[in-house]
Amino acid sequence: MTKYTFVEFFAGGGMARAGLGEGWRCLFANDFDPMKVAAYKANWGVGDMKHADVASLTLDDLPATVVDLAWASFPCQDLSLAGSYRGLGRERDNAPTRSGTFWPFWRLMRSLMQAGRAPRTIVLENVYGCLTSHGGKDFVAIAAAFAEAGYRFGAAVINASHFVPQSRPRVFFVAVCKGERIPSYLTADGPQVNWHPAALVEASAGMTTKSKRNWLWWRMAAPAARHSIFADLVESSPTGVRWHNAAETKHLLEMMSPLHRQKVADAMMSGLRTVGTIYRRTRPDENGGKRQRAEVRFDDVAGCLRTPAGGSSRQTILVVEGKKVRSRLLSPREAARLMGMRDDYLLPDRYNDAYHVCGDGVCVPVVRHIASHLLEPLLGANAAAERIAAE
């Protein structure tokens, strides 16, 4: 079986690697966070991971061969609501924001290109906010970086909710090196309803002329219908968390607005076991000030996992069975399941560390969908053409 090769940056706990699967061979991985590096090594071994700031990496750290894929899930804090949309910064600055680490990563990619080792494909993953951060300038800057390097590229917005019961829309740039053949069935003449929402179409309209010439509307198969719901992922005997006592649950309910208290009342009246999730949000109050509110959803989908240090709190589970209402934090294993990780994935022992690895990760089945419906057909077609040319 032919194995495609890849390198990954901002690798976290290795969820992109899990999604790529057995048909791919990692040649190099990198992350700056020692906790994430430890999680990666615990699951994938110590041989591929280099613990270092991406800005400190050189060509000598990377494989001496051309790899099929370079994957980068660069830090999203400054491109999301939690990071107040501070953006990528400028290439000439010394990583002025966490998402500004994109530029050191891209300088490394350019060094590979100059050395004749340009990755055949590059995938960048980030939050939905990268479409609009800095008034769209960050999206335009990423597009221009690809175009100036001669890569043909496109982007897709994929929500993890297609595959797992978690609302988690993410933007995936997929770029192909100059000279690689792109099968016609992998591209479309215009936006595709499943992957190219209005915000992406609008962002692409602001690109430079050169970027527009290199832009592609990727065509991927629609995912199969998801049959799991959030309640299916909830542990009956959770580890790493405890059930709240009656006073704590009562306080949580008192933090709800009338609209959300009514949602709980409706769930109680149904007589069914109903499982929902809660995030605490800061909302305007009736006096013109602000107050923290508990907001519940019972739509069988969890809210987007976030890191404990982000702008939103950790997610709480609310279980309603008639008049009985219980609450507790989402367990680390439940967070991993919401990211599509198998139960044999080794999580850090500390709650916040485990939650951070999951909240900062990429949804595993989303990566697999991109690999099976875009990357592998593209790379396979080129490998076949190379074999024919060699005969």
Side-chain angles (χ1 to χ4, degrees):
M1 176 182 175
T2 299
K3 285 202 172 188
Y4 301 110
T5 57
F6 73 99
V7 293
E8 57 177 333
F9 301 85
F10 318 107
M15 293 182 191
R17 181 170 182 162
L20 289 171
E22 294 297 324
W24 291 75
R25 181 161 57 97
C26 181
L27 300 183
F28 176 83
N30 165 248
D31 203 282
F32 182 64
D33 187 319
M35 181 273 295
K36 293 178 185 176
V37 168
Y40 191 101
K41 290 180 176 180
N43 286 280
W44 308 108
V46 301
D48 305 318
M49 169 59 72
K50 183 176 180 64
H51 176 206
D53 186 333
V54 68
S56 72
L57 298 177
T58 69
L59 285 182
D60 291 337
D61 295 307
L62 302 181
T65 60
V66 174
V67 296
D68 293 312
L69 168 67
W71 183 287
S73 296
F74 61 93
C76 66
Q77 283 81 354
D78 299 308
L79 298 179
S80 67
L81 182 61
S84 301
Y85 297 101
R86 285 174 289 176
L88 290 175
R90 296 170 299 182
E91 183 175 6
R92 63 179 178 272
D93 294 337
N94 185 23
T97 68
R98 290 190 65 181
S99 290
T101 52
F102 169 78
W103 294 117
F105 158 76
W106 192 249
R107 284 195 290 272
L108 196 60
M109 293 298 100
R110 283 204 306 236
S111 295
L112 284 174
M113 297 167 202
Q114 292 163 3
R117 290 150 55 188
R120 297 174 69 188
T121 62
I122 299 175
V123 175
L124 304 180
E125 179 257 345
N126 214 273
V127 293
Y128 198 81
C130 77
L131 299 177
T132 55
S133 57
H134 264 145
K137 292 179 181 178
D138 290 334
F139 183 93
V140 169
I142 293 171
F146 278 130
E148 291 297 326
Y151 277 73
R152 300 198 68 195
F153 67 98
V157 174
I158 306 180
N159 197 326
S161 62
H162 288 301
F163 307 92
V164 295
Q166 180 197 176
S167 175
R168 190 182 186 84
R170 290 293 185 265
V171 178
F172 295 84
F173 291 86
V174 180
V176 183
C177 187
K178 182 179 181 181
E180 297 288 328
R181 188 173 75 86
I182 302 174
S184 59
Y185 68 88
L186 294 179
T187 62
D189 293 333
Q192 302 293 288
V193 64
N194 286 324
W195 314 120
H196 306 127
L200 175 55
V201 175
E202 183 177 347
S204 66
M207 296 186 300
T208 65
T209 300
K210 185 170 184 177
S211 295
K212 289 178 180 178
R213 284 198 301 267
N214 286 38
W215 176 260
L216 300 165
W217 294 108
W218 291 118
R219 189 205 306 267
M220 285 186 290
R226 172 176 55 82
H227 297 294
S228 64
I229 61 173
F230 174 65
D232 297 333
L233 275 60
V234 173
E235 293 185 288
S236 55
S237 300
T239 55
V241 293
R242 64 170 181 83
W243 288 99
H244 294 158
N245 60 40
E248 289 169 317
T249 299
K250 181 174 182 289
H251 175 68
L252 197 63
L253 296 173
E254 289 173 344
M255 290 176 62
M256 294 183 181
S257 68
L259 172 64
H260 287 269
R261 283 199 294 268
Q262 187 60 50
K263 290 182 181 181
V264 177
D266 291 343
M268 295 171 71
M269 289 292 292
S270 74
L272 303 172
R273 182 177 185 271
T274 307
V275 182
T277 60
I278 294 173
Y279 262 132
R280 301 187 187 201
R281 310 284 196 194
T282 300
R283 301 296 189 196
D285 64 17
E286 59 276 8
N287 300 316
K290 293 184 177 180
R291 62 178 296 182
Q292 195 174 57
R293 289 290 196 183
E295 299 183 350
V296 65
R297 59 189 296 170
F298 289 114
D299 58 355
D300 293 327
V301 175
C304 182
L305 287 180
R306 305 177 191 277
T307 63
S312 297
S313 65
R314 296 167 296 184
Q315 209 158 171
T316 298
I317 291 177
L318 194 72
V319 179
V320 180
E321 298 176 274
K323 293 183 179 181
K324 185 178 181 181
V325 181
R326 296 187 297 162
S327 63
R328 63 168 172 82
L329 288 176
L330 188 78
S331 77
R333 183 56 59 194
E334 289 159 349
R337 290 174 178 175
L338 286 172
M339 295 302 293
M341 294 299 297
R342 292 172 19 157
D343 279 356
D344 59 359
Y345 181 83
L346 301 175
L347 291 165
D349 292 332
R350 291 184 65 248
Y351 180 92
N352 273 13
D353 289 346
Y355 204 98
H356 201 133
V357 165
C358 297
D360 250 2
V362 58
C363 184
V364 171
V366 173
V367 177
R368 176 88 300 268
H369 193 80
I370 295 170
S372 61
H373 293 283
L374 197 55
L375 298 175
E376 289 164 5
L378 193 155
L379 293 167
N382 280 276
E386 289 167 3
R387 284 196 299 269
I388 292 172
E391 291 176 354

